[in-house]
Amino acid sequence: IVENHGRDAHRLLSMLREVQQKLRHVSPLAQRTIAESLGICITQVSAVVEFYSFLSTTPLGKFDIRISDSITDHMLGSRDVAARLCRRLGILPGETRHDGRVSLTFTSCTGLCEQGPAGLINGYAITRLTEERTDRIAGLINNDTPLDEWPGELFTVEQNIQLTDRLLGNPVQPGDALGRTLALGRETMFGEIETSQLRGRGGAGFNTAWKWRFCYDGPEAAVCPPGQPAAGIERYVVCNADEGEPGTFKDRVLLQSSADQVFEGMTVCAHLVGAKRGFLYLRGEYLYLYDRLEAVLAARRQRGLLGKAILGKEGFDFDIEIRLGAGAYICGEESALIESLEGNRGIPRNRPPYPVTHGYLGQPTVVNNVETFFAAAAIAVHGGEWFAAVGTEKSKGTKLLSICGDCARPGIYEYPFGVTVARILEDCGAADVLGVQIGGPSGTFLSDKEFDRKLAYEDLATGGSFIVFDRTRDVIEIARNFTHFFAHESCGFCTPCRVGTPLLKNLLDKIAAGHGATGDLAELSRLGRFVRSASHCGLGQTAANPILSTLERYPEIYQARLKTIDFEPGFDLDGALATARRLTGRDDANAHLSQS
Ligand code: SF4
């Protein structure tokens, strides 16, 4: 495996994925062998193994099942599915069966929120886990039927495109955007992207033309020490396909239905910034897309749309490599993603410098997400004015939304920016709505009094997740699910987030279980604000959003869950005193403290 990867330590994650696939785990021996072969320290290898949740140091089952723990899967019954599977297979969650046949655990989110309950088997997506399908899967495993002989319908992933506008409604044919880019020339095409006012679709909304321009214009000054030439500088284009925000699945659909257009957008970018190499960083949960995407890349090479002298243009060389993630939400953050591409743990870097000047291998790197490159290809064909003709003053064009939860028609919807939440709810068939989570767990929870608000950077910025909750749902349970998600996904680099997110989780669990007191609510709010202000990256800075935004909107629901005392310990107080009673030989009434 190491040889196949050219003994390149930057490809460590890919090597470890392959070892895991062959051995069902990455054993200490395998770690040592890889470290010695690469000439790196074993701790560097073990740190990476321990960081990514899809890698395991102990053997997983021949059939490794991971059920999605996302809130939308919970709402569709994922916990019942897991319990049923465990019964049928004779295991407990987190266990590998004694014969090594099967293991079952939970995973944060599979990006299949509109067709859950969903999960992964040996990394491949399984959807709509009804009781009947669950029993069939258990039967196939108990009969030891090889995965490639399972009925294909178990692995069907629907696209569910419900509403199209100018992007989805005007697909770009392979080569059209590149042809126009070459015909117009670099500066004119830069002008088109600038006119479009396209902003990065991941949520932060940085101006795409500026980012590309910084990469093309500015890096020499930033990268080279004064007086040194710019020779040796390589530029890179990275497509972030690591959408891991629960409730988001639009990039999955774009890669399923329009990968050619996404690669075309990356190639247009490469031409403008002068990059020769690109990466598509594909989240590990989308393994089932890998072969299809490779086939699209191969077809593009065949047609002269990738490789040397693209479309016959001497010097226009560019190719794209797909790299798979391994179950770490934080790798959606661009600097963590670059660390992962370099074979490291996905720990966000200090910024500045920004990846656009000091990215992959310290070189100028454009990182944009799937939807941004998809839109850029359309702009290259239809022009900046065409794109900017819809939207609002500061948010031009259209936005793709992944809509799921309590609605009749979940799926992908494309709207011009400025659309109201009320309109979206009507379109997707939502009724009796309690609230909507905009932008995933790191976003905002809107109550039914705010449905006239608009999706736009000026009002509600979003990466595209839109989860609907009706009045049967429990607000505290929603906040609890999201808070558990952040505590699980914290990379552990900085103390406020590493320590703060589990504290928030424990406090919220205590309140949800009916053990909370008035002081706990104040502490929840204080701690949440602290984690928000003191954390190193966006994950920690938004981890308290589910708590703070629901506390602000529904204080009465939290209040109603409290006990009418000022302080309540978060553990079994009387049980904790049992050892002391035994040691002192006391068991009188005063040696017992009641929590009620
Ligand atoms: Fe890691 Fe959380 Fe700190 Fe971000 S805020 S660097 S995820 S520990």
Side-chain angles (χ1 to χ4, degrees):
I1 287 171
V2 174
E3 284 301 332
N4 289 345
H5 286 280
R7 291 182 178 266
D8 180 357
H10 296 126
R11 306 179 61 90
L12 178 60
L13 184 56
S14 306
M15 295 175 203
L16 294 171
R17 284 192 61 105
E18 284 178 35
V19 170
Q20 163 116 351
Q21 205 181 355
K22 278 191 193 312
L23 305 178
R24 296 188 220 156
H25 72 308
V26 188
S27 65
L29 176 62
Q31 292 177 38
R32 197 172 329 123
T33 309
I34 289 176
E36 284 168 7
S37 309
L38 292 175
I40 59 177
C41 182
I42 188 167
T43 53
Q44 196 176 329
V45 177
S46 57
V48 172
V49 174
E50 278 160 24
F51 185 83
Y52 293 93
S53 66
F54 284 5
L55 301 178
S56 172
T57 52
T58 53
L60 300 172
K62 179 178 175 186
F63 297 95
D64 178 41
I65 307 173
R66 288 165 193 260
I67 300 294
S68 174
D69 224 2
S70 162
I71 185 77
T72 48
D73 290 274
H74 276 206
M75 289 156 66
L76 292 164
S78 60
R79 287 284 162 164
D80 292 341
V81 165
R84 192 176 181 94
L85 269 173
C86 283
R87 278 198 306 278
R88 297 277 185 274
L89 297 169
I91 48 171
L92 291 171
E95 269 187 6
T96 299
R97 202 163 79 181
H98 59 87
D99 61 357
R101 174 80 58 81
V102 59
S103 50
L104 185 145
T105 187
F106 294 97
T107 189
S108 287
C109 172
T110 52
L112 298 156
C113 322
E114 91 289 21
Q115 46 197 303
L120 306 170
I121 292 194
N122 293 357
Y124 292 94
I126 41 169
T127 55
R128 301 199 188 280
L129 290 169
T130 58
E131 289 187 355
E132 186 266 329
R133 282 161 75 91
T134 301
D135 289 349
R136 274 169 81 194
I137 289 169
L140 289 161
I141 292 172
N142 283 329
N143 291 335
D144 202 13
T145 308
L147 204 62
D148 53 12
E149 291 175 21
W150 288 25
E153 50 165 319
L154 290 173
F155 301 100
T156 302
V157 177
E158 299 154 21
Q159 296 191 14
N160 293 324
I161 296 176
Q162 302 281 1
L163 184 68
T164 65
D165 202 286
R166 58 189 47 211
L167 288 181
L168 291 172
N170 292 284
V172 169
Q173 297 310 310
D176 282 4
L178 283 172
R180 189 155 184 269
T181 302
L182 293 181
L184 293 181
R186 174 181 277 127
E187 279 311 312
T188 310
M189 186 50 78
F190 254 130
E192 292 287 2
I193 305 289
E194 218 163 310
T195 303
S196 74
Q197 298 180 55
L198 173 66
R199 298 171 65 164
R201 292 321 200 213
F206 192 79
N207 184 296
T208 303
W210 293 357
K211 182 182 275 191
W212 294 11
R213 182 70 84 174
F214 287 150
C215 188
Y216 176 62
D217 279 347
E220 278 78 359
V223 172
C224 299
Q228 287 199 14
I233 287 187
E234 294 283 343
R235 294 175 177 80
Y236 295 93
V237 174
V238 175
C239 179
N240 182 347
D242 195 40
E243 60 169 356
E245 195 84 61
T248 313
F249 49 89
K250 67 185 171 55
D251 289 351
R252 178 203 90 211
V253 174
L254 287 180
L255 291 173
Q256 247 176 303
S257 63
S258 314
D260 231 320
Q261 185 168 333
V262 176
F263 292 139
E264 183 106 359
M266 289 177 71
T267 315
V268 168
C269 173
H271 180 64
L272 297 195
V273 306
K276 303 234 174 292
R277 229 177 131 191
F279 297 98
L280 177 87
Y281 187 92
L282 184 66
R283 69 182 296 219
E285 290 82 350
Y286 293 168
L287 172 66
Y288 65 97
L289 291 174
Y290 184 86
D291 287 345
R292 272 186 251 172
L293 293 171
E294 282 289 8
V296 175
L297 287 177
R300 290 183 68 82
R301 287 183 196 110
Q302 196 107 35
R303 298 175 69 164
L305 302 175
L306 277 178
K308 294 260 179 225
I310 291 172
L311 286 182
K313 169 95 174 157
E314 217 37 60
F316 182 13
D317 307 337
F318 179 66
D319 213 331
I320 297 170
E321 184 187 336
I322 303 172
R323 292 275 189 89
L324 275 161
Y329 164 75
I330 190 60
C331 289
E333 197 275 346
E334 61 177 2
S335 66
L337 185 154
I338 289 170
E339 284 290 317
S340 183
L341 274 181
E342 292 181 0
N344 304 322
R345 295 176 298 158
I347 305 265
R349 293 176 176 171
N350 285 328
R351 301 189 304 174
Y354 292 92
V356 73
T357 55
H358 294 69
Y360 182 65
L361 305 180
Q363 302 288 308
T365 305
V366 167
V367 184
N368 279 129
N369 79 347
V370 171
E371 187 183 345
T372 313
F373 285 122
F374 175 75
I379 292 164
V381 171
H382 302 290
E385 283 181 12
W386 167 84
F387 185 77
V390 295
T392 66
E393 195 191 334
K394 291 184 180 160
S395 313
K396 298 297 185 192
T398 60
K399 181 80 192 83
L400 269 59
L401 299 180
S402 322
I403 299 182
C404 55
D406 296 315
C407 60
R409 293 176 292 280
I412 303 299
Y413 290 70
E414 182 186 3
Y415 286 105
F417 271 116
V419 63
T420 63
V421 173
R423 161 83 195 278
I424 299 169
L425 289 171
E426 196 183 321
D427 288 350
C428 71
D432 202 22
V433 180
L434 167 77
V436 181
Q437 184 75 27
I438 310 270
S442 61
T444 312
F445 192 95
L446 288 191
S447 78
D448 58 358
K449 298 182 185 62
E450 301 167 273
F451 291 166
D452 57 344
R453 290 183 64 181
K454 295 184 166 96
L455 292 199
Y457 293 103
E458 305 92 306
D459 187 358
L460 292 167
T462 174
S465 168
F466 190 102
I467 311 176
V468 184
F469 299 100
D470 70 20
R471 290 186 197 284
T472 64
R473 306 297 173 186
D474 176 357
V475 165
I476 295 180
E477 201 46 42
I478 296 165
R480 208 167 77 87
N481 178 279
F482 292 158
T483 306
H484 277 242
F485 168 78
F486 285 121
H488 182 261
E489 295 297 336
S490 166
C491 82
F493 171 72
C494 68
T495 311
C497 172
R498 183 183 65 247
V499 178
T501 50
L503 287 176
L504 285 170
K505 175 184 84 124
N506 294 344
L507 209 45
L508 197 54
D509 284 351
K510 179 183 168 189
I511 292 167
H515 289 299
T518 314
D520 292 319
L521 274 195
E523 177 60 9
L524 199 58
S525 175
R526 189 198 65 78
L527 185 60
R529 286 197 304 274
F530 173 74
V531 173
R532 174 186 276 177
S533 63
S535 291
H536 174 65
C537 83
L539 187 151
Q541 289 156 13
T542 57
N545 284 4
I547 292 174
L548 296 176
S549 65
T550 51
L551 252 180
E552 184 189 329
R553 287 166 174 82
Y554 304 99
E556 70 288 352
I557 293 181
Y558 280 90
Q559 289 287 348
R561 201 67 67 91
L562 301 180
K563 288 190 165 184
T564 52
I565 54 176
D566 287 339
F567 174 75
E568 172 74 20
F571 56 95
D572 179 358
L573 185 55
D574 195 52
L577 291 173
T579 310
R581 278 197 300 270
R582 203 175 58 248
L583 289 174
T584 57
R586 277 185 63 186
D587 201 18
D588 56 281
N590 288 335
H592 288 270
L593 291 175
S594 166
Q595 282 176 245
S596 57

Coordinates of all heavy atoms in Angstrom, one line a residue, residues 330 348 490-494 497 535-537 539-540, ligand 1:
I330 N -14.9 18.3 11.3 CA -14.1 19.5 11.3 C -13.3 19.7 10.0 O -12.9 20.8 9.7 CB -13.1 19.5 12.5 CG1 -12.4 20.8 12.7 CG2 -12.1 18.3 12.4 CD1 -13.2 22.0 13.0
P348 N -7.7 22.7 12.7 CA -7.7 24.0 12.0 C -6.4 24.8 12.3 O -5.9 24.8 13.4 CB -8.9 24.8 12.5 CG -9.8 23.7 13.1 CD -8.9 22.6 13.5
S490 N -15.8 17.9 18.2 CA -14.7 18.8 18.6 C -13.3 18.1 18.3 O -13.2 17.0 18.7 CB -14.8 19.2 20.1 OG -13.6 19.8 20.5
C491 N -12.4 18.8 17.7 CA -11.1 18.2 17.4 C -10.2 18.1 18.6 O -9.2 17.4 18.5 CB -10.5 18.9 16.2 SG -9.5 20.4 16.7
G492 N -10.5 18.9 19.7 CA -9.8 18.7 20.9 C -8.5 19.6 20.9 O -7.8 19.6 21.9
F493 N -8.3 20.5 20.0 CA -7.1 21.3 19.9 C -7.1 22.4 21.0 O -6.1 22.6 21.6 CB -7.0 21.9 18.5 CG -5.9 22.9 18.4 CD1 -4.5 22.6 18.4 CD2 -6.2 24.3 18.2 CE1 -3.5 23.5 18.3 CE2 -5.2 25.2 18.1 CZ -3.9 24.8 18.2
C494 N -8.2 23.1 21.1 CA -8.3 24.2 22.1 C -9.2 23.9 23.3 O -10.2 23.3 23.1 CB -8.6 25.5 21.4 SG -10.3 25.6 20.9
C497 N -13.2 24.7 23.7 CA -14.1 23.9 22.9 C -14.0 22.4 23.4 O -15.0 21.7 23.6 CB -13.8 24.0 21.4 SG -14.7 22.8 20.4
S535 N -13.3 30.1 21.7 CA -12.8 28.9 20.9 C -12.0 29.4 19.7 O -12.2 30.5 19.1 CB -14.0 28.1 20.4 OG -14.6 27.4 21.6
H536 N -11.2 28.5 19.2 CA -10.2 28.8 18.2 C -10.9 28.8 16.8 O -10.5 29.7 15.9 CB -9.2 27.6 18.2 CG -8.2 27.7 17.1 ND1 -7.3 28.7 16.9 CD2 -7.9 26.9 16.0 CE1 -6.5 28.5 15.9 NE2 -6.9 27.4 15.3
C537 N -11.8 28.0 16.5 CA -12.4 28.0 15.1 C -13.9 28.0 15.1 O -14.5 28.0 16.2 CB -11.9 26.7 14.3 SG -12.8 25.3 14.7
L539 N -16.1 25.8 14.6 CA -16.9 24.8 15.3 C -17.2 25.2 16.7 O -18.4 25.2 17.2 CB -16.2 23.5 15.3 CG -16.9 22.2 15.8 CD1 -16.5 21.0 15.1 CD2 -16.9 22.1 17.3
G540 N -16.2 25.6 17.5 CA -16.4 26.0 18.9 C -17.2 27.3 19.0 O -18.0 27.4 19.9
Ligands
SF4_1 FE1 -10.8 22.1 17.5 FE2 -13.1 23.0 18.7 FE3 -10.8 24.3 19.0 FE4 -12.0 24.3 16.6 S1 -12.8 25.2 18.4 S2 -9.9 24.0 17.0 S3 -12.9 22.2 16.6 S4 -11.2 22.2 19.7

